[in-house]
């Protein structure tokens, strides 16, 4: 589904409303409060776009129960922001979003975090890998180098652990402290134990590696990067990290520890949908925002 920013849904509020209603309900509105289909559209200027459930008697709109709930940003700007984040391979900063949408920085910042929440909601479910499949695991660190900071103390390094199916999806996580104890739950929860696990020589993977059908390592410290006839390597996960780091260095410059998990979800989604068009990816994100309302308090207080 090819789509450009000249599409009327990005500029006309009525067309944007019709597009989102079609995406969410496909012509058959249902009450987000009780699930009833016995609803009717309300009339009048003050209740435009509102529905009334004849069973529970609650009112709702297409925004109710989504990341757009209680937002005063027009729907066409929501769609444009979603498309821009879906199409920007290395991310889009809130300052850039502010300039392109004509909103305040505070609005753009919260808008971007809500869309990242929708990206997390669109993530594929189920464990990675399986019998005969290869999954790579590795960690990297986000943060500036001490030698580049003239006066301030060195920025704390923020670890990110990524799990990548050799020819499939990626899942990355912010881990406060990369230890065998902290990494094991991620591996056994998100990777099928019938998979062949490949890591570098780090000792944090030694014990948990025994829980998988096979565990191979490549010793980077000795200059070893590929073994097993080209099958055993961590080049796939390092390729994902290179895209992630381009976003950090070139777009965001800084990712706070409190929200690093949502940035991970953003880069995961784009990587996992790399075979899709930008329009298809944006449509997937729009569906992922259903049932994932995000408040300012949650955005400010929850650490990834």
């Amino acid at each position: 589904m090819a789509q450009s920013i000249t599409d009327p849904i990005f500029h006309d509020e009525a067309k944007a409303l019709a597009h989102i209603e079609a995406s969410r309900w496909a012509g058959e509105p249902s009450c987000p409060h009780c699930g009833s289909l016995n609803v009717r559209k309300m009339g009048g200027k003050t209740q435009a776009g509102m529905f009334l459930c004849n069973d529970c008697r609650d009112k709702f709109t297409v925004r109710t129960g989504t990341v757009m709930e209680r937002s005063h940003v027009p729907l066409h700007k929501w769609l444009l922001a979603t498309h821009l984040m879906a199409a920007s391979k290395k991310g889009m900063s809130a300052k850039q979003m502010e300039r392109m949408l004509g909103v305040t920085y505070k609005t753009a910042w919260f808008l971007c975090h809500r869309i990242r929440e929708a990206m997390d909601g669109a993530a594929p479910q189920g464990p990675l890998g399986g019998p005969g499949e290869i999954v790579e695991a590795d960690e990297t660190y986000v943060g500036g180098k001490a030698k580049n900071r003239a006066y301030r103390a060195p920025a704390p390094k923020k670890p990110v652990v990524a799990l990548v199916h050799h020819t499939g999806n990626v899942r990355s996580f912010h881990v406060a402290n990369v230890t065998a104890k902290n990494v094991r739950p991620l591996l056994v929860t998100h990777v099928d134990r019938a998979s062949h696990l490949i890591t570098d020589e780090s000792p944090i993977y030694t014990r948990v590696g025994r829980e998988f059908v096979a565990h191979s390592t490549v010793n980077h410290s000795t200059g070893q990067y590929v073994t097993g006839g080209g099958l055993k390597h961590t080049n796939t996960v390092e390729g994902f990290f290179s895209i992630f780091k381009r976003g950090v260095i070139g777009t965001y410059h800084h990712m706070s520890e409190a929200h690093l998990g949502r940035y991970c979800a953003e880069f995961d989604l784009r990587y996992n949908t790399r075979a899709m068009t930008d329009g298809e990816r944006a449509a997937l994100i729009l569906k992922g925002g259903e049932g994932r309302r995000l408040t300012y308090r949650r955005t400010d207080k929850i650490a990834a």
Side-chain angles (χ1 to χ4, degrees):
M1 178 174 60
Q3 200 170 38
S4 72
I5 59 174
T6 60
D7 193 303
I9 65 172
F10 299 136
H11 310 283
D12 186 298
E13 189 68 4
K15 287 183 170 58
L17 175 61
H19 177 82
I20 298 174
E21 287 183 348
S23 169
R24 185 170 188 186
W25 294 318
E28 193 174 23
S30 60
C31 176
H33 304 293
C34 69
S36 172
L37 296 176
N38 186 19
V39 303
R40 63 181 177 87
K41 197 163 190 175
M42 304 183 71
K45 291 184 179 180
T46 60
Q47 300 181 118
M50 296 191 72
F51 294 82
L52 175 67
C53 177
N54 293 321
D55 290 333
C56 70
R57 307 303 296 174
D58 268 337
K59 296 178 182 179
F60 63 92
T61 70
V62 75
R63 297 176 187 250
T64 306
T66 73
V67 294
M68 296 181 284
E69 184 167 352
R70 299 188 68 84
S71 164
H72 298 290
V73 178
L75 293 175
H76 69 274
K77 291 192 176 186
W78 266 104
L79 289 178
L80 181 56
T82 301
H83 180 80
L84 290 172
M85 289 191 69
S88 303
K89 305 306 180 186
K90 297 175 180 64
M92 176 167 288
S93 69
K95 289 298 293 183
Q96 182 69 23
M97 196 71 77
E98 171 195 355
R99 293 188 291 269
M100 296 188 73
L101 297 186
V103 297
T104 65
Y105 174 69
K106 183 178 180 179
T107 297
W109 182 88
F110 191 45
L111 193 67
C112 289
H113 274 301
R114 285 192 175 193
I115 294 171
R116 290 186 188 104
E117 186 76 6
M119 288 175 157
D120 188 42
Q125 303 300 310
L128 298 171
E133 300 293 332
I134 295 175
V135 175
E136 301 173 23
D138 199 7
E139 71 283 346
T140 191
Y141 294 84
V142 177
K145 296 180 180 178
K147 67 178 182 180
N148 294 332
R149 299 170 70 89
Y151 303 108
R152 292 177 293 170
K157 293 288 187 177
K158 298 178 279 289
V160 171
V161 174
L163 314 172
V164 183
H165 185 274
H166 241 186
T167 57
N169 294 331
V170 62
R171 288 182 197 168
S172 59
F173 309 88
H174 167 51
V175 180
N177 188 18
V178 179
T179 63
K181 181 180 179 180
N182 292 337
V183 171
R184 181 189 174 276
L186 296 179
L187 285 166
V188 299
T189 301
H190 296 279
V191 180
D192 191 310
R193 298 197 200 197
S195 306
H196 183 166
L197 181 66
I198 301 180
T199 67
D200 58 19
E201 71 277 13
S202 174
I204 66 173
Y205 302 107
T206 303
R207 188 168 182 176
V208 70
R210 301 191 190 111
E211 300 185 43
F212 293 86
V213 69
H215 176 212
S216 300
T217 62
V218 286
N219 196 335
H220 292 167
S221 62
T222 62
Q224 183 187 69
Y225 292 94
V226 180
T227 63
L231 293 177
K232 299 177 182 178
H233 58 76
T234 57
N235 293 343
T236 314
V237 64
E238 287 166 8
F240 168 74
F241 282 146
S242 72
I243 299 171
F244 188 86
K245 288 293 186 71
R246 289 301 97 198
V248 176
I249 297 169
T251 302
Y252 295 119
H253 309 305
H254 168 75
M255 294 178 177
S256 70
E257 191 164 13
H259 304 298
L260 184 52
R262 290 201 183 93
Y263 287 103
C264 290
E266 174 188 352
F267 282 88
D268 288 355
L269 188 280
R270 280 197 295 263
Y271 183 92
N272 295 338
T273 58
R274 56 195 180 279
M276 292 184 180
T277 65
D278 295 337
E280 291 170 337
R281 188 178 302 110
L284 184 65
I285 297 169
L286 189 61
K287 291 296 292 182
E290 297 175 13
R292 297 183 72 90
R293 185 187 171 199
L294 182 64
T295 65
Y296 272 107
R297 179 171 295 177
R298 281 189 61 202
T299 304
D300 291 338
K301 301 299 182 185
I302 291 183

